[in-house]
Amino acid sequence: MNAILRLTCRDRRGIVAAITNFIAHNNGNIVNLDQYTDPAAGQFFMRLEWDLKNFKIAPAKIEKALQKFGKISVTFSNRQKRAAVFVSRYDHCLYDLLLRQRSGELNCDIAAVISNHEDLRYVAAAFGKEFYCLPGAEKKQLALLKEKKIDLIVLARYMQILSPVFIRDYLYKIINVHHSFLPAFKGAKPYHQAYRRGVKIIGATAHFATEDLDQGPIIQQNVAQISHRDTVDDLIVKGRDLERQVLSEAVRYFLNDRLFVRGNRTIIL
Amino acid sequence: MNAILRLTCRDRRGIVAAITNFIAHNNGNIVNLDQYTDPAAGQFFMRLEWDLKNFKIAPAKIEKALQKFGKISVTFSNRQKRAAVFVSRYDHCLYDLLLRQRSGELNCDIAAVISNHEDLRYVAAAFGKEFYCLPGAEKKQLALLKEKKIDLIVLARYMQILSPVFIRDYLYKIINVHHSFLPAFKGAKPYHQAYRRGVKIIGATAHFATEDLDQGPIIQQNVAQISHRDTVDDLIVKGRDLERQVLSEAVRYFLNDRLFVRGNRTIIL
Amino acid sequence: MNAILRLTCRDRRGIVAAITNFIAHNNGNIVNLDQYTDPAAGQFFMRLEWDLKNFKIAPAKIEKALQKFGKISVTFSNRQKRAAVFVSRYDHCLYDLLLRQRSGELNCDIAAVISNHEDLRYVAAAFGKEFYCLPGAEKKQLALLKEKKIDLIVLARYMQILSPVFIRDYLYKIINVHHSFLPAFKGAKPYHQAYRRGVKIIGATAHFATEDLDQGPIIQQNVAQISHRDTVDDLIVKGRDLERQVLSEAVRYFLNDRLFVRGNRTIIL
Amino acid sequence: MNAILRLTCRDRRGIVAAITNFIAHNNGNIVNLDQYTDPAAGQFFMRLEWDLKNFKIAPAKIEKALQKFGKISVTFSNRQKRAAVFVSRYDHCLYDLLLRQRSGELNCDIAAVISNHEDLRYVAAAFGKEFYCLPGAEKKQLALLKEKKIDLIVLARYMQILSPVFIRDYLYKIINVHHSFLPAFKGAKPYHQAYRRGVKIIGATAHFATEDLDQGPIIQQNVAQISHRDTVDDLIVKGRDLERQVLSEAVRYFLNDRLFVRGNRTIIL
């Protein structure tokens, strides 16, 4: 069993030594260490993973013991995160997440599939997942999320805008996929916008949802070449592959505790 | 020696047969035929290349003979196009074009390098090309272009906006490279804009210059993955490779008579 | 309803005119024409699609009427091809094909899922497809394929080698996916081979199965960057995405009658 | 001014703490730390960069002071590495390296261009670099390399095989570019091999030269999609872009002290 520390603090001389020393003195063996210093802001970010065998501090007390170093979070490799997937009518991202979770690619418990439509109930059922149709009922949704102890919300082509209250409750815990290479083609019908502009590439973007629609910190982006022969329908088909890919990669980063947010940027360690 | 016909007309039954018949009856052997019908607009586009050996119509009379079929242009494989390259202070796209032209990759005569600065005179000289420093002198530039019988203007990171008059004179004969995946990050300092937005991909776009800055028909686009570790300077370095690539590909399409414009879109046959 | 002609013949003057004339004289409207002449071999390949409304020749008689032009095949847009998918224990390619077929991306009837193991019966069932577990029983498999009038066999990570007799019966109608960028890492366990060699890219290849294992004409290939941090298991996970992608694209080319074979190469029109 | 430590040793508890402690106790400020533990071999690799301002140990004594930790090398950011570029007749990689060096992208001193032909003397001259035509004269070449205190040898499409003695003298200091996605198409004329096999992607590979031709540890690879329309000459043109790209990236890794070799694999920190 490993512990994973995510730390953010002002950069200062000896910070790496101080933390690695602390781990070593308590008999931890470092398995992985990644750090990044934002040169402009002088901000220090670290992800540190160590083996807990023989570690002198009990898991429940580790977080407190490390607080002196800065803004921290500590997670444990044997504790699966709990995810809720929000969907509407498109099934491709939902299937992709369910298949990747089942194959072990995404290490999480998909504790609920929540929708504003009934359409995809059968998909959730085929994978033995609980499905909740709660259209226009944010309070019920929030209550369910609390009850299920949800760590991560995945908007898998969920076609409804969340309220600022909802987003603030789960800030940087909501990952959305937008079907364009943001910041191009914000808003509705990006494939139609792309077709009209005559671009030669289309893209998809996974990002944290914030109160500003399609403007949250970007986690992952990918693109595909297109040509004049591609109709809007072709763009939609090609785009589905991109959406699946960027969304699942962003979710994997989150589940592996690799994401930090600094201003409107993500740092992936 | 081959002839290349580019034809645009309303789609109609038998159009391909009529043209290929015409070529066959006059003893031409078709080497290449590409066509595209815009489904929405019912517009027909064709690029047809045929061998002129034994062709019954003299080259000088071919264009007239084909005019009945629609809006056409005819070029000949033994006639090199004449290009002018506009530059300012960045040398990477200029070097790239000169090297590709010398290696035979770009089949054209680079008849002039025109700049608003003296900086790159030595680069042109090293490749035996004429260099003209004509800052803020569009009339002189236009006179030079006429004198040199220029077919294609390549804006290879030329840092000055051309007047509407200039652009109308050479409409769809001016290829510009913009250092972003348009329509994202139009205007000045796109790499700085990209850095601030925290995107995970950067791009470059080659497009026809039109009166609307950075909004002309897109010819080619390419992107590269970046990470939070990349500074603005890193983006500039990575972007240079993209700029070179998309610009040279767009120029090659033009030189091979493969480009059509329909509204704000290019069709590449 | 459209007809699609695929034609292979010696290149000769006037061949395009002759065929397009034939279509025009019989009141067909050409919707799409792609051709390619192999410069070394002087071989001509054409894919021609035309609208049958008002076409003077009855569909059943078109093939015969066109035989004079060369080696041909004629298909019709309203006749769905019938595919059999062969699988063993890996489910990712099967799910991918079933989902793409259901969404309309792959225009075919998946008439049978055939396996040498029972494992994936439930997947076929979830999509309402017939599943046949026929391990080591090629005769039964062939009988079933005949009975079901199968046009295309897709080996979706089928872990058994087909006999030469089987392959000859369905030559250039069997598409296999191999999990490497062929010709690198032929044979067993290519991800392990790739790991040991320390490559920085992995790939997948969709190709026609021939009697020479992993050496048939290549239809589609794709690759992904990897790093020293990727274990064999990581390669397997990343490779699944590539396998899905190249296999589904190759199948789509086949279903759209776009594939020609010349020696050990495919031509995709 | 920064120091850069590259360390390889058996993985052991507290190794990161021990080293970072050592740096901190001597007043060094860590700017960058990357580490990797090979899970199979239990081997630990670290690249550590720290600011030398106020560092208590004099630069000349740092290496000795750190030797207790394992197999190490220490370099300094203010000391440019000295590179020799070996070429034959192809100019594209040479131009690319010279341009990138001049623009600051490659932080090194190109102290000599060495060739077995006179052809590219003028290119070296245009960039003010010394050119030596030393065909079939390895002893003279080696003497020159010693005299020039060369740290890195770049084989930029050098068409001659180096002797085992030469390679041993500069083991893991010679970077070669091979024009295929190795291990496919080892040996001569890989683009011709690729054409004959009918692949849909071509590639290029930068690797350390070892005594086994084209089999040394791979540093970087890249590929491009091709189609049946591409002739061997087209592959050569498209491949040049890939060769330039992978070679310059591999050289940059080397110059930034990011490369480690473990068996036949590179680790890039």
Side-chain angles (χ1 to χ4, degrees):
Chain A
M1 179 179 153
N2 292 345
I4 296 136
L5 164 71
R6 286 187 304 148
L7 164 73
T8 308
C9 63
R10 295 289 309 166
D11 190 30
R12 58 184 187 270
R13 185 183 307 266
I15 175 71
V16 178
I19 295 163
T20 56
N21 244 332
F22 180 90
I23 303 297
H25 283 2
N26 287 291
N27 268 345
N29 190 33
I30 292 174
V31 172
N32 236 303
L33 183 160
D34 279 290
Q35 51 74 241
Y36 169 71
T37 305
D38 183 319
Q43 200 78 6
F44 177 82
F45 302 87
M46 188 165 73
R47 181 190 186 279
L48 182 70
E49 184 171 358
W50 72 97
D51 191 335
L52 287 176
K53 204 166 71 177
N54 303 324
F55 197 60
K56 291 181 187 165
I57 307 174
K61 295 186 173 171
I62 290 175
E63 192 153 278
K64 200 171 170 207
L66 286 161
Q67 267 167 358
K68 59 183 172 189
F69 292 112
K71 192 166 159 280
I72 64 157
S73 86
V74 177
T75 56
F76 299 99
S77 60
N78 72 337
R79 197 241 167 220
Q80 258 193 344
K81 290 189 180 57
R82 298 171 62 80
V85 181
F86 279 59
V87 295
S88 291
R89 288 189 159 122
Y90 296 118
D91 65 2
H92 57 287
C93 286
L94 176 59
Y95 262 113
D96 190 67
L97 293 166
L98 291 167
L99 285 166
R100 290 185 198 266
Q101 190 265 341
R102 194 166 72 186
S103 76
E105 229 179 277
L106 297 176
N107 177 24
C108 66
D109 179 2
I110 296 180
V113 177
I114 298 174
S115 183
N116 47 358
H117 296 282
E118 279 290 345
D119 304 49
L120 301 183
R121 181 180 291 276
Y122 80 103
V123 179
F127 286 77
K129 303 300 177 195
E130 294 181 28
F131 182 89
Y132 302 87
C133 185
L134 300 169
E138 275 204 354
K139 277 192 186 161
K140 282 188 193 165
Q141 292 174 355
L142 282 168
L144 181 66
L145 296 172
K146 304 293 175 207
E147 182 204 321
K148 296 280 182 187
K149 296 192 169 66
I150 294 302
D151 302 296
L152 167 66
I153 294 165
V154 184
L155 306 181
R157 298 295 311 275
Y158 182 59
M159 308 302 272
Q160 190 152 329
I161 292 168
L162 300 173
S163 76
V165 170
F166 191 115
I167 282 172
R168 255 174 270 145
D169 255 31
Y170 284 91
L171 192 60
Y172 304 141
K173 294 179 177 173
I174 309 172
I175 296 177
N176 182 46
V177 62
H178 184 76
H179 35 318
S180 82
F181 48 93
L182 288 173
F185 310 130
K186 273 178 274 201
K189 292 193 175 276
Y191 292 128
H192 291 76
Q193 292 183 53
Y195 182 81
R196 276 197 302 274
R197 179 59 188 90
V199 291
K200 299 297 185 186
I201 53 171
I202 56 166
T205 303
H207 64 95
F208 282 122
T210 60
E211 296 181 39
D212 299 314
L213 192 66
D214 301 334
Q215 299 194 52
I218 292 171
I219 305 169
Q220 179 69 316
Q221 300 189 283
N222 202 353
V223 301
Q225 297 275 344
I226 58 165
S227 85
H228 62 271
R229 294 194 189 274
D230 287 300
T231 63
V232 170
D233 284 345
D234 294 331
L235 303 195
I236 290 169
V237 166
K238 291 188 176 185
R240 283 201 290 249
D241 280 346
L242 301 172
E243 296 165 31
R244 276 190 280 251
Q245 196 170 34
V246 298
L247 183 58
S248 65
E249 285 174 10
V251 168
R252 185 160 44 231
Y253 288 146
F254 187 98
L255 296 176
N256 295 340
D257 298 295
R258 297 183 57 190
L259 292 175
F260 297 73
V261 174
R262 162 96 193 137
N264 207 32
R265 311 161 60 77
T266 59
I267 290 151
I268 305 175
L269 297 182
Chain B
M1 178 180 154
N2 292 346
I4 296 136
L5 164 71
R6 286 188 303 148
L7 164 73
T8 308
C9 63
R10 296 287 309 166
D11 189 28
R12 57 183 188 272
R13 185 185 305 267
I15 176 71
V16 178
I19 294 163
T20 55
N21 245 333
F22 181 89
I23 304 298
H25 284 2
N26 286 290
N27 269 345
N29 190 33
I30 293 173
V31 171
N32 237 304
L33 184 160
D34 279 291
Q35 52 73 242
Y36 169 70
T37 304
D38 185 318
Q43 200 79 4
F44 176 81
F45 302 88
M46 188 165 73
R47 183 190 184 278
L48 182 70
E49 185 171 358
W50 72 98
D51 191 336
L52 287 177
K53 204 165 72 176
N54 302 325
F55 197 60
K56 290 182 189 166
I57 306 173
K61 294 187 175 171
I62 290 174
E63 192 153 279
K64 201 172 167 204
L66 286 161
Q67 267 167 357
K68 60 183 172 189
F69 291 112
K71 193 165 159 279
I72 64 157
S73 86
V74 177
T75 57
F76 300 98
S77 60
N78 71 338
R79 197 236 167 225
Q80 259 193 344
K81 288 191 182 55
R82 298 172 62 80
V85 181
F86 279 60
V87 296
S88 291
R89 286 189 161 122
Y90 296 118
D91 64 2
H92 57 287
C93 285
L94 177 59
Y95 262 113
D96 191 66
L97 293 166
L98 290 167
L99 284 166
R100 290 185 199 267
Q101 189 265 340
R102 194 166 74 186
S103 76
E105 228 179 279
L106 296 177
N107 178 24
C108 66
D109 178 3
I110 296 180
V113 177
I114 298 173
S115 184
N116 47 357
H117 297 283
E118 278 291 345
D119 305 48
L120 301 183
R121 181 180 290 277
Y122 80 102
V123 179
F127 286 77
K129 302 301 176 193
E130 295 181 27
F131 182 89
Y132 302 86
C133 185
L134 300 169
E138 275 205 354
K139 276 192 187 161
K140 281 188 193 166
Q141 291 175 354
L142 283 169
L144 181 65
L145 295 172
K146 304 294 176 205
E147 182 203 321
K148 296 280 183 188
K149 296 192 170 66
I150 295 301
D151 301 296
L152 167 66
I153 294 165
V154 184
L155 306 180
R157 298 296 312 274
Y158 182 60
M159 307 301 272
Q160 189 152 331
I161 292 168
L162 300 174
S163 76
V165 169
F166 192 116
I167 282 171
R168 257 174 269 146
D169 256 30
Y170 284 90
L171 191 60
Y172 305 141
K173 293 179 177 173
I174 309 173
I175 296 177
N176 182 47
V177 63
H178 184 76
H179 35 317
S180 82
F181 50 92
L182 289 173
F185 310 131
K186 273 178 274 199
K189 293 194 173 276
Y191 293 128
H192 290 77
Q193 292 183 52
Y195 182 81
R196 276 197 303 274
R197 179 58 188 89
V199 291
K200 299 296 184 187
I201 53 171
I202 56 165
T205 303
H207 64 95
F208 282 121
T210 60
E211 296 181 39
D212 299 315
L213 193 65
D214 300 335
Q215 299 195 50
I218 291 171
I219 304 169
Q220 180 67 317
Q221 301 189 284
N222 202 354
V223 301
Q225 296 274 345
I226 58 165
S227 86
H228 62 271
R229 294 194 190 274
D230 288 298
T231 63
V232 171
D233 284 346
D234 294 330
L235 303 196
I236 290 169
V237 165
K238 292 188 175 186
R240 282 202 289 250
D241 280 346
L242 301 173
E243 296 165 30
R244 276 190 280 251
Q245 196 171 36
V246 297
L247 183 59
S248 65
E249 286 174 9
V251 167
R252 186 161 43 233
Y253 288 146
F254 186 97
L255 296 176
N256 294 340
D257 298 296
R258 297 183 57 189
L259 292 174
F260 298 71
V261 175
R262 162 95 194 140
N264 207 32
R265 310 160 62 78
T266 59
I267 290 151
I268 305 176
L269 296 183
Chain C
M1 179 180 153
N2 291 346
I4 296 137
L5 165 70
R6 287 188 302 148
L7 164 73
T8 308
C9 63
R10 296 287 310 166
D11 190 28
R12 58 183 188 270
R13 185 184 306 268
I15 175 72
V16 178
I19 295 163
T20 56
N21 243 331
F22 180 89
I23 303 298
H25 283 3
N26 286 290
N27 268 345
N29 190 32
I30 292 173
V31 172
N32 237 304
L33 184 160
D34 279 291
Q35 53 72 242
Y36 170 69
T37 304
D38 184 318
Q43 200 79 5
F44 176 82
F45 302 87
M46 189 165 74
R47 181 190 186 279
L48 182 70
E49 185 171 358
W50 72 98
D51 191 334
L52 287 176
K53 203 166 73 177
N54 302 325
F55 197 59
K56 289 182 188 165
I57 307 175
K61 294 187 175 170
I62 290 175
E63 192 153 279
K64 200 171 168 206
L66 286 162
Q67 267 168 356
K68 59 183 172 189
F69 292 111
K71 193 164 159 279
I72 65 157
S73 85
V74 177
T75 57
F76 300 98
S77 61
N78 71 338
R79 197 237 167 224
Q80 258 193 345
K81 290 191 180 54
R82 299 171 63 79
V85 181
F86 279 59
V87 295
S88 291
R89 287 188 160 122
Y90 296 118
D91 64 3
H92 58 287
C93 286
L94 176 59
Y95 262 113
D96 190 66
L97 293 166
L98 290 167
L99 284 165
R100 290 185 198 266
Q101 190 264 341
R102 195 165 73 186
S103 76
E105 228 179 278
L106 296 178
N107 178 24
C108 66
D109 178 4
I110 296 180
V113 177
I114 299 174
S115 183
N116 47 358
H117 296 282
E118 278 290 344
D119 304 49
L120 302 182
R121 180 180 292 277
Y122 80 101
V123 179
F127 286 77
K129 303 300 177 193
E130 295 182 27
F131 182 90
Y132 301 87
C133 185
L134 301 168
E138 275 205 355
K139 276 191 187 164
K140 281 188 194 166
Q141 292 175 354
L142 282 169
L144 180 66
L145 296 172
K146 304 295 176 204
E147 182 203 320
K148 294 281 183 187
K149 296 192 170 65
I150 294 302
D151 300 296
L152 167 66
I153 294 165
V154 184
L155 306 181
R157 299 295 312 276
Y158 181 60
M159 307 301 271
Q160 190 153 330
I161 292 168
L162 300 174
S163 75
V165 170
F166 191 116
I167 282 173
R168 256 174 269 145
D169 255 31
Y170 283 91
L171 190 60
Y172 304 142
K173 294 179 177 174
I174 309 172
I175 296 178
N176 182 47
V177 62
H178 184 76
H179 35 317
S180 82
F181 50 92
L182 288 173
F185 310 129
K186 272 176 276 200
K189 294 193 172 274
Y191 291 128
H192 290 76
Q193 292 183 52
Y195 182 81
R196 276 197 302 274
R197 178 59 188 91
V199 290
K200 298 297 184 188
I201 53 171
I202 55 165
T205 303
H207 64 95
F208 282 122
T210 59
E211 297 182 38
D212 299 315
L213 193 66
D214 299 335
Q215 298 195 50
I218 291 170
I219 303 168
Q220 179 68 316
Q221 300 189 284
N222 202 354
V223 300
Q225 297 275 345
I226 59 165
S227 86
H228 61 272
R229 294 194 191 274
D230 288 298
T231 62
V232 170
D233 283 346
D234 294 330
L235 302 196
I236 290 169
V237 166
K238 292 189 175 186
R240 283 201 289 249
D241 280 346
L242 300 173
E243 296 165 30
R244 277 190 279 251
Q245 197 171 34
V246 298
L247 183 58
S248 65
E249 286 174 10
V251 167
R252 185 160 45 232
Y253 288 146
F254 186 97
L255 296 176
N256 294 341
D257 298 297
R258 295 184 58 189
L259 292 174
F260 297 73
V261 174
R262 162 96 193 140
N264 206 33
R265 310 161 62 77
T266 59
I267 290 151
I268 305 175
L269 296 182
Chain D
M1 177 179 154
N2 291 347
I4 296 137
L5 164 71
R6 286 186 304 147
L7 164 73
T8 308
C9 63
R10 294 287 310 166
D11 190 30
R12 58 184 188 270
R13 186 183 305 267
I15 175 71
V16 178
I19 295 164
T20 56
N21 245 332
F22 180 90
I23 303 298
H25 283 2
N26 287 290
N27 269 345
N29 190 32
I30 292 173
V31 172
N32 236 304
L33 183 161
D34 279 290
Q35 53 73 241
Y36 169 70
T37 304
D38 184 319
Q43 200 78 5
F44 176 81
F45 302 87
M46 188 165 74
R47 182 189 185 279
L48 182 70
E49 185 171 357
W50 71 98
D51 191 335
L52 287 177
K53 204 167 70 176
N54 303 325
F55 197 60
K56 291 181 188 166
I57 307 174
K61 294 185 175 172
I62 290 175
E63 191 153 280
K64 200 172 168 205
L66 285 162
Q67 267 167 357
K68 60 182 173 189
F69 292 111
K71 192 166 159 280
I72 65 156
S73 85
V74 177
T75 57
F76 300 98
S77 62
N78 71 339
R79 196 238 166 224
Q80 257 193 345
K81 289 191 182 55
R82 299 172 61 79
V85 180
F86 279 59
V87 295
S88 290
R89 288 189 159 121
Y90 296 117
D91 66 1
H92 58 286
C93 286
L94 176 59
Y95 262 112
D96 190 67
L97 293 166
L98 290 167
L99 285 165
R100 290 185 198 266
Q101 190 265 343
R102 194 166 74 186
S103 76
E105 227 179 280
L106 297 177
N107 178 24
C108 66
D109 178 3
I110 296 180
V113 177
I114 298 174
S115 184
N116 48 356
H117 296 281
E118 278 290 345
D119 305 48
L120 301 182
R121 181 179 291 276
Y122 80 102
V123 179
F127 286 77
K129 303 300 177 194
E130 294 181 28
F131 182 90
Y132 302 87
C133 185
L134 300 169
E138 275 204 354
K139 278 192 185 162
K140 282 188 194 166
Q141 292 175 354
L142 282 168
L144 181 66
L145 297 172
K146 304 294 175 205
E147 182 203 320
K148 296 281 183 187
K149 295 192 170 66
I150 294 301
D151 301 297
L152 167 66
I153 295 165
V154 184
L155 306 181
R157 296 298 310 274
Y158 182 59
M159 307 302 271
Q160 190 153 329
I161 293 169
L162 300 174
S163 76
V165 170
F166 191 116
I167 282 172
R168 256 173 269 145
D169 255 31
Y170 284 91
L171 191 61
Y172 304 142
K173 294 179 176 173
I174 309 172
I175 296 178
N176 182 47
V177 62
H178 184 74
H179 36 316
S180 82
F181 49 92
L182 288 172
F185 311 129
K186 273 178 274 199
K189 293 193 173 276
Y191 292 128
H192 290 77
Q193 291 183 54
Y195 182 82
R196 275 197 302 273
R197 180 58 189 90
V199 291
K200 299 298 184 186
I201 53 172
I202 55 166
T205 303
H207 63 96
F208 282 123
T210 59
E211 297 181 39
D212 300 314
L213 192 66
D214 300 335
Q215 298 195 50
I218 291 170
I219 304 168
Q220 180 68 317
Q221 300 188 282
N222 202 353
V223 300
Q225 296 275 346
I226 58 165
S227 85
H228 62 270
R229 294 194 189 274
D230 288 300
T231 62
V232 170
D233 284 346
D234 294 331
L235 302 195
I236 290 169
V237 165
K238 292 189 174 184
R240 282 200 291 249
D241 280 346
L242 301 173
E243 295 165 31
R244 277 190 280 251
Q245 197 171 33
V246 297
L247 183 58
S248 65
E249 286 174 10
V251 167
R252 185 160 44 232
Y253 288 146
F254 186 98
L255 296 175
N256 294 342
D257 297 297
R258 297 183 58 190
L259 292 175
F260 297 72
V261 174
R262 162 94 192 141
N264 206 33
R265 311 162 60 77
T266 59
I267 290 151
I268 305 175
L269 297 182

